[in-house]
DNA sequence: GCCAACGTTGGC
DNA sequence: GCCAACGTTGGC
């Protein structure tokens, strides 16, 4: 089973929004970066778990856990001219962008902030989130990194 | 609001 | 294929 991290700006779509969504499930769509697209299309499998990460805030942090309930399938918002994610280069015959469906699992007992993760950079190894200038909105997490962040959750903030 | 990092575009 | 210009992301 794989582990991932999904970024979202809470003002656009927050963990609370997911909690209130029908079935507590949402398509993870609108990703328009090829590397992230490849993870969505080929990497994330049903049953995989992902951290829900809030970016673009004063306190960027891992705030929850979601589970993949549908593996990669075409992102139809790409060929919807009314969608902010419209991309005329993607067509039903040749979809360029993909999405997955994720379901809310739980909120973390406390947010584990980016600042905190940076303090433990040495213990986290090569973590995609901590790479300089990393802007990937979908990124892989190793089993060790996953376990470590859950350990941090169980402890008092540093 | 600023700025660094990065991806994409398009001229050549 | 190179590279400058531009737009976007996202932390601070």
């Amino acid at each position: 089973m794989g582990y991932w991290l999904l970024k979202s700006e809470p003002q656009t779509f927050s963990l609370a929004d997911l909690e209130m969504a029908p079935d507590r499930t949402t398509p993870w769509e609108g990703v328009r970066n090829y590397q992230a697209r490849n993870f969505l299309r080929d990497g994330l499998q049903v049953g995989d778990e992902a951290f829900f990460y809030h970016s673009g805030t004063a306190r960027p942090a891992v705030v929850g856990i979601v589970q993949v309930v549908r593996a990669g399938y075409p992102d139809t918002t790409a060929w919807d001219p009314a969608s902010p994610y419209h991309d005329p280069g993607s067509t039903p015959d040749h979809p360029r962008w993909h999405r997955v469906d994720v379901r809310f699992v739980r909120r973390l007992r406390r947010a584990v902030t980016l600042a905190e993760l940076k303090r433990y950079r040495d213990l986290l190894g090569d973590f995609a989130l901590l790479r300089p200038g990393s802007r990937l909105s979908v990124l892989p997490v190793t089993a060790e990194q996953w376990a470590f962040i859950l350990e941090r959750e169980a402890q008092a903030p540093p």
Side-chain angles (χ1 to χ4, degrees):
Chain A
M1 190 173 79
Y3 298 105
W4 307 91
L5 182 144
L6 302 175
K7 283 184 194 172
S8 185
E9 297 188 16
Q11 51 197 29
T12 304
F13 189 82
S14 68
L15 185 63
D17 292 329
L18 178 58
E19 243 183 310
M20 291 184 297
D23 268 346
R24 293 179 151 191
T25 299
T26 191
W28 203 265
E29 62 195 9
V31 172
R32 297 294 179 264
N33 168 283
Y34 285 104
Q35 210 179 335
R37 185 281 309 269
N38 293 346
F39 288 135
L40 289 176
R41 189 187 58 188
D42 312 322
L44 281 76
Q45 300 300 321
V46 172
D48 284 1
E49 290 186 293
F51 287 128
F52 196 114
Y53 176 89
H54 279 168
S55 66
T57 73
R59 237 173 128 253
V62 176
V63 293
I65 294 174
V66 301
Q67 186 167 42
V68 179
V69 294
R70 182 174 177 186
Y73 65 105
D75 182 349
T76 58
T77 63
W79 53 75
D80 173 5
S83 168
Y85 306 126
H86 181 230
D87 174 10
S90 184
T91 66
D93 282 346
H94 297 94
R96 176 180 289 174
W97 306 112
H98 285 67
R99 61 186 169 189
V100 300
D101 289 352
V102 297
R103 179 178 293 149
F104 178 88
V105 172
R106 69 176 180 87
R107 184 172 285 275
L108 294 196
R109 287 197 288 281
R110 67 177 185 88
V112 177
T113 65
L114 177 64
E116 179 173 351
L117 295 177
K118 285 182 171 173
R119 291 178 62 134
Y120 295 99
R121 175 174 258 136
D122 293 348
L123 297 173
L124 281 163
D126 183 23
F127 190 18
L129 183 71
L130 299 183
R131 283 185 206 142
S134 164
R135 297 172 355 191
L136 270 186
S137 60
V138 178
L139 51 92
V141 175
T142 67
E144 292 77 16
Q145 289 158 354
W146 184 269
F148 182 80
I149 291 169
L150 293 183
E151 278 174 38
R152 289 309 316 158
E153 178 204 10
Q155 320 230 335

